[in-house]
Amino acid sequence: MRHSQYILAFFFTLILTTQARHHHHTKHKHSSHSNNNDNNTNNQSYPPSPPSDDDGSEIFNVRTFGAIGDGIADDTKSFKMAWDSACQSDSAINIVLVPRGFSFMVQSTIFTGPCQGGLVLKVDGTLMPPDGPESWPNNTSRRQWLVFYRINNMSLQGSGVIDGRGQNWWDLPCKPHKGPNGTTLPGPCDSPVALRFFMSSNLSVQGLRIKNSPQFHFRFDGCKSVRVDSIFITSPALSPNTDGIHIENTNDVRIYNSVISNGDDCVSIGTGCYDVDIKNITCGPSHGISIGSLGNHNSRACVSNITVRESTIKGSDNGVRIKTWQGGSGSVSKVTFSKIHMESVRNPIIIDQFYCLSKDCSNKSSAVFVSDIVYSNIKGTYDIRHPPMRFACSDSVPCTNLTLSDIELLPAQGDLFNDPFCWNAYGNLETLTIPPVSCLIEGLPQSLPGNDLSRC
């Protein structure tokens, strides 16, 4: 994952002048909807359920608003008109329909709320942006493609495909090429996130396929109550910075039953996230499931109450990872990784508090405080070129309360075990592990970071 620069003023100076014109659309008898997503949440309002023939929903077909759907014509205005009409409708559930059998090209666009009722964007056809930086209009943002801003109670679903057409972005000379003759050269490097949800709540993403994003496939910033279920995300293993799902300053998140393979983290968790549950994810090839990177540019980062469980990570550079920069502050705490199967993973279990993207990062005396991390029932195979467990903690801010149980990691090839690596890592073993971990320091360090450093 790479940190993007945010230009929030862009959103607050947006002038909403588009007025939806009256078009024919389909209206059904009104009825109410509910969705029981998870037993861990109570008294929550949920995004609309998939529509049925007599559910009282109102349908806004983008073709009715003039969209061509030939993959060439610019259908942006038609999508905006359909969205605005649905958003202003007083029906309980309003469906913007992207019909099957058509391919719609839409430029960088912000879909804004709040809306009058629940809103469903149902993608049954194919949705795509302009094809690469040469086709991208100069007057639109190159940092994002489709943005959903200040939306409450929205569902993104359907049987279609969202194709980010990322190849020409990945081939920019500035990108980190990893081929045998790879080079990285200076030059413009902004690439769009495919789908960004910003300052929104009660969101559901379900059943979609999304592929080949220029950068992150999904990004949730400043959101609350997010449900992602049964989605498929794919991009090549060497596509740079193509995180599957990135969340930041977002809480009450459920990511379930999905398949992700890409060129970066399957799921990346940034600062300001808490109450996150990730379950039944098939991840890889990728860079694994990561918390971080955190603390870049001496920033404060806070992450807590994270669970990753009952998932498979295969053919990936990392398994479950916590990565922080030197010089940061704040904390990562109350994290559980459990019932995870590894298949030929380079670094199945890793804490890296010396994360750096170049060779000239200087040593610093402060760091994000990592504590109360549980690794339970993690089994499988690892790439013998790397240690199966690596706990590289800060010189000045040790990791504490690392707990390991039922760990069984075997070499993918041969029968020689690599020893785990520990540096300034405090914790305990609840069971024997394979390979044995003898490098954890028992108890607690003599000194812990002060409240000002680790406070969140």
Side-chain angles (χ1 to χ4, degrees):
M1 182 196 70
R2 308 295 184 261
H3 281 266
S4 302
Q5 299 297 319
Y6 310 124
I7 307 177
L8 296 180
F10 171 77
F11 293 95
F12 296 103
T13 58
L14 183 67
I15 301 174
L16 305 178
T17 58
T18 303
Q19 297 294 325
R21 296 194 294 267
H22 291 287
H23 287 260
H24 172 74
H25 49 264
T26 306
K27 191 167 186 177
H28 301 285
K29 181 180 178 182
H30 171 81
S31 64
S32 62
H33 293 259
S34 64
N35 189 1
N36 298 321
N37 278 14
D38 193 87
N39 293 330
N40 294 331
T41 56
N42 297 313
N43 300 320
Q44 295 283 344
S45 60
Y46 295 102
S49 301
S52 61
D53 290 338
D54 58 352
D55 63 0
S57 59
E58 195 166 357
I59 298 175
F60 301 80
N61 189 325
V62 295
R63 293 262 298 164
T64 304
F65 289 79
I68 304 300
D70 62 0
I72 300 173
D74 183 356
D75 291 321
T76 308
K77 290 183 179 180
S78 299
F79 271 69
K80 282 289 290 179
M81 286 192 291
W83 174 275
D84 290 342
S85 294
C87 189
Q88 295 165 12
S89 170
D90 57 4
S91 295
I93 300 174
N94 301 283
I95 304 162
V96 177
L97 177 63
V98 181
R100 71 177 69 248
F102 298 92
S103 296
F104 300 93
M105 194 279 286
V106 176
Q107 296 181 17
S108 178
T109 304
I110 301 174
F111 298 100
T112 58
C115 297
Q116 297 293 325
L119 203 144
V120 176
L121 177 54
K122 192 169 189 294
V123 180
D124 288 335
T126 299
L127 196 54
M128 63 182 68
D131 190 9
E134 296 299 323
S135 302
W136 206 265
N138 292 327
N139 61 344
T140 59
S141 172
R142 291 189 172 221
R143 294 176 180 267
Q144 55 217 4
W145 175 33
L146 302 181
V147 180
F148 302 92
Y149 174 57
R150 287 194 178 276
I151 310 296
N152 178 51
N153 198 23
M154 174 188 166
S155 177
L156 173 60
Q157 58 191 238
S159 58
V161 176
I162 298 176
D163 184 355
R165 304 171 92 176
Q167 184 66 57
N168 290 332
W169 297 94
W170 308 330
D171 289 341
L172 287 171
C174 62
K175 296 292 185 177
H177 289 55
K178 298 182 180 180
N181 299 314
T183 58
T184 298
L185 300 175
C189 213
D190 285 345
S191 300
V193 173
L195 297 165
R196 185 183 184 197
F197 293 85
F198 183 53
M199 296 181 66
S200 297
S201 59
N202 297 307
L203 304 172
S204 170
V205 180
Q206 185 171 7
L208 279 172
R209 293 179 179 269
I210 177 169
K211 64 179 184 179
N212 298 335
S213 177
Q215 205 194 68
F216 300 166
H217 289 76
F218 285 93
R219 181 173 187 132
F220 296 89
D221 287 302
C223 295
K224 181 177 181 179
S225 298
V226 176
R227 304 292 181 270
V228 179
D229 199 337
S230 304
I231 66 170
F232 295 82
I233 298 175
T234 58
S235 62
L238 295 182
S239 56
N241 304 347
T242 53
D243 294 47
I245 302 170
H246 177 74
I247 60 175
E248 194 146 333
N249 295 310
T250 293
N251 66 85
D252 185 19
V253 179
R254 306 289 182 263
I255 303 174
Y256 294 156
N257 310 317
S258 296
V259 178
I260 304 173
S261 62
N262 58 355
D264 213 298
D265 298 324
C266 287
V267 181
S268 55
I269 301 171
T271 187
C273 293
Y274 59 92
D275 296 342
V276 178
D277 188 26
I278 299 171
K279 177 183 176 182
N280 193 25
I281 302 300
T282 299
C283 168
S286 72
H287 292 184
I289 297 175
S290 295
I291 296 174
S293 60
L294 304 174
N296 195 13
H297 304 301
N298 303 323
S299 61
R300 181 179 298 274
C302 299
V303 175
S304 64
N305 294 333
I306 311 295
T307 300
V308 181
R309 56 193 172 112
E310 300 171 32
S311 295
T312 296
I313 302 176
K314 56 185 181 181
S316 296
D317 287 355
N318 306 288
V320 290
R321 174 169 59 160
I322 298 172
K323 51 181 178 176
T324 73
W325 295 77
Q326 294 189 75
S329 60
S331 68
V332 176
S333 64
K334 299 178 182 177
V335 178
T336 298
F337 302 106
S338 68
K339 296 183 179 179
I340 298 174
H341 179 67
M342 304 284 181
E343 297 180 11
S344 298
V345 175
R346 284 191 185 180
N347 300 287
I349 296 173
I350 180 169
I351 295 176
D352 180 7
Q353 292 212 269
F354 299 90
Y355 185 71
C356 178
L357 298 179
S358 64
K359 296 181 179 180
D360 57 357
C361 292
S362 60
N363 289 328
K364 297 183 179 180
S365 60
S366 64
V368 177
F369 180 38
V370 177
S371 65
D372 301 314
I373 314 297
V374 174
Y375 301 92
S376 173
N377 198 356
I378 299 178
K379 301 180 180 182
T381 60
Y382 66 92
D383 187 321
I384 59 174
R385 293 173 293 179
H386 298 266
M389 289 171 267
R390 180 178 177 87
F391 303 107
C393 300
S394 167
D395 293 337
S396 56
V397 185
C399 305
T400 64
N401 292 332
L402 308 182
T403 302
L404 278 66
S405 65
D406 295 318
I407 308 298
E408 185 177 314
L409 295 169
L410 306 174
Q413 295 179 336
D415 54 6
L416 295 177
F417 285 84
N418 289 352
D419 291 330
F421 173 86
C422 304
W423 181 263
N424 217 16
Y426 288 75
N428 66 286
L429 306 179
E430 292 190 341
T431 67
L432 295 176
T433 64
I434 301 175
V437 179
S438 59
C439 56
L440 278 180
I441 307 171
E442 294 183 355
L444 293 172
Q446 292 183 348
S447 62
L448 291 172
N451 289 335
D452 288 341
L453 179 66
S454 62
R455 184 178 65 242
C456 282

